[in-house]
Amino acid sequence: QLLEDYRKLAATPGAVAKSAGDAAAKLKGAAVVSAEYHVPFLAHAPMEPLNCTVEIGRDGCDIWTGTQFQGVDQMAAAQILGLKPEQVRLHTTFLGGGFGRRANPASDFVAEAVHAAKASGKTVKVVWTREDDVHGGYYRPMWLSSLRATLGKDGLPTAWHHTLVGQSIIAGTPFAAAMLKDGIDATSVEGAANSPYLDAIADHRVELHSPTSPVTVLWWRSVGHSHTAFVVESFIDELARAAKQDPLAYRRALLAKHPAHLAVLNLAAEKFGWGKPLPKGHAAGLAVHESFGSIVAEVAEVSLENGAPRVHRVVCAVDCGFPINPDNIAAQMESAIVFGLSAALRGQVTLHEGRVQQHNFDTYNPLRIDEMPVVETHIVESG
């Protein structure tokens, strides 16, 4: 039902996140390449479920928890207990995954433990079950993107129109005043409204609809880029296909004025051996995207096994500034690929009569170790 509502919204004018030229005029009556993408609600599903230990003493309160939001959690605890924030001593433990779930504006799992300790008068340790964790709300929003473009004689886009529909993760939080402007949540359109491809397209427009829903949403690893990178790169492939051009060459043409992106893209393609023959039944695809100050390109070798996608190899090139610890960068890319493939191949939270249908790792399936591709990481020499 939500998806149908989103489709209806996408067909209407939205808040303008980025505009140049007159995309509507260029698209009217022209031959148009169009595509629709939708991605589901996603749970963070960290390996270590949410937990918190609280001890209330005469001179204040001690809290032990794995958190990404110490200041907010400290303020929440102080308010519940009638203490000054400095009387709440928060001890941050190592955590088995967070991905944004442990940075909760409501401090839900911390507040729960503080309330329990206050009511019982005892030191309390709260550990959520896996089912609590999956059912407990705060998901990556569901998104729908509708895109249309026209191509010039050279096959490159001359007009581009992108409409995004999805819940705001900033609305209703303390960050709304700074990050919501003119109906635009900057995190909803990041990676789309500031895509470097738009610099090569004179007439472009990016619009946003931010419907509300009872489903509670939150930032999820890579935030807005978790859907915009997939959508924009997929549509670039559709345009390259329509233009009957190699997807690597197509991107090179669009990114001609972005040398940092080109360097990453070219390194990944070179190290993969783009264009060389692949085993029978195998194919390759590539993508490049910038977020949070890093530019990453990846090339994946894929086949179908029993009708399902199987990724055999991923070659990454990364420009993340000056590399302090290359092994750590490689580990980060490997974990990002586990997360990305888990989301792309199986990840979804579905609702029936208001209830989340997934329960544990048997129904919310992460990538298994025997499905993990070989990963190669190459770091761009960067200042």
Side-chain angles (χ1 to χ4, degrees), residues 52-55 61-65 77 88-91 110 114:
C52 182
T53 298
V54 178
E55 183 176 57
C61 170
D62 285 274
I63 297 174
W64 292 265
T65 188
V88 177
R89 296 173 290 274
L90 202 148
H91 310 276
V110 173
V114 173

Side-chain angles (χ1 to χ4, degrees), residues 133-367:
D133 206 271
V134 175
H135 294 162
Y138 298 103
Y139 306 105
R140 195 287 301 272
M142 184 180 98
W143 285 95
L144 180 138
S145 270
S146 175
L147 293 100
R148 295 180 298 143
T150 56
L151 304 182
K153 292 180 180 179
D154 59 359
L156 298 178
T158 56
W160 171 289
H161 189 278
H162 185 177
T163 301
L164 301 97
V165 186
Q167 287 172 255
S168 167
I169 59 172
I170 298 299
T173 74
F175 308 106
M179 296 182 69
L180 278 177
K181 295 181 180 177
D182 301 322
I184 300 292
D185 177 342
T187 69
S188 296
V189 295
E190 60 187 3
N194 59 347
S195 169
Y197 295 123
L198 298 183
D199 294 342
I201 308 169
D203 298 279
H204 60 258
R205 190 175 181 89
V206 179
E207 297 182 358
L208 173 68
H209 292 278
S210 302
T212 57
S213 162
V215 182
T216 46
V217 293
L218 186 66
W219 31 80
W220 182 94
R221 185 171 176 168
S222 79
V223 199
H225 300 277
S226 72
H227 60 99
T228 60
F230 159 67
V231 165
V232 171
E233 286 299 299
S234 296
F235 193 55
I236 289 294
D237 274 343
E238 295 290 349
L239 299 184
R241 184 181 179 86
K244 298 180 180 178
Q245 294 185 23
D246 173 77
L248 173 60
Y250 200 78
R251 285 172 170 81
R252 283 172 171 163
L254 285 171
L255 297 171
K257 295 182 179 179
H258 291 270
H261 290 76
L262 278 177
V264 171
L265 182 63
N266 289 335
L267 181 60
E270 174 199 338
K271 295 296 185 182
F272 179 84
W274 183 265
K276 293 180 180 178
L278 292 168
K280 185 179 179 181
H282 287 221
L286 50 78
V288 59
H289 191 79
E290 178 180 2
S291 67
F292 301 102
S294 294
I295 307 171
V296 175
E298 295 184 15
V299 188
E301 182 180 339
V302 186
S303 72
L304 287 175
E305 288 188 0
N306 301 317
R310 174 65 186 247
V311 182
H312 301 274
R313 177 184 176 216
V314 178
V315 175
C316 313
V318 186
D319 181 346
C320 56
F322 190 81
I324 302 296
N325 185 338
D327 284 346
N328 205 33
I329 295 167
Q332 179 73 3
M333 295 314 302
E334 289 158 9
S335 69
I337 286 161
V338 173
F339 235 69
L341 285 175
S342 296
L345 295 173
R346 288 193 288 269
Q348 62 174 341
V349 165
T350 56
L351 297 114
H352 179 67
E353 296 181 347
R355 291 184 179 274
V356 170
Q357 299 300 102
Q358 291 69 33
H359 308 289
N360 207 312
F361 285 141
D362 58 336
T363 49
Y364 192 83
N365 294 314
L367 200 73

Side-chain angles (χ1 to χ4, degrees), residues 32-116:
V32 173
V33 180
S34 62
E36 178 190 279
Y37 304 93
H38 53 88
V39 294
F41 292 107
L42 292 174
H44 300 78
M47 186 64 71
E48 176 188 304
L50 299 170
N51 63 88
C52 182
T53 298
V54 178
E55 183 176 57
I56 302 170
R58 291 181 181 178
D59 62 341
C61 170
D62 285 274
I63 297 174
W64 292 265
T65 188
T67 177
Q68 298 170 268
F69 236 20
Q70 289 84 350
V72 173
D73 293 340
Q74 183 187 46
M75 297 271 294
Q79 188 171 15
I80 292 166
L81 298 172
L83 299 173
K84 296 176 181 177
E86 57 267 28
Q87 290 177 283
V88 177
R89 296 173 290 274
L90 202 148
H91 310 276
T92 305
T93 61
F94 288 118
L95 55 91
F99 319 127
R101 181 58 181 89
R102 299 180 197 272
N104 185 280
S107 296
D108 60 339
F109 65 99
V110 173
E112 182 179 51
V114 173
H115 276 299

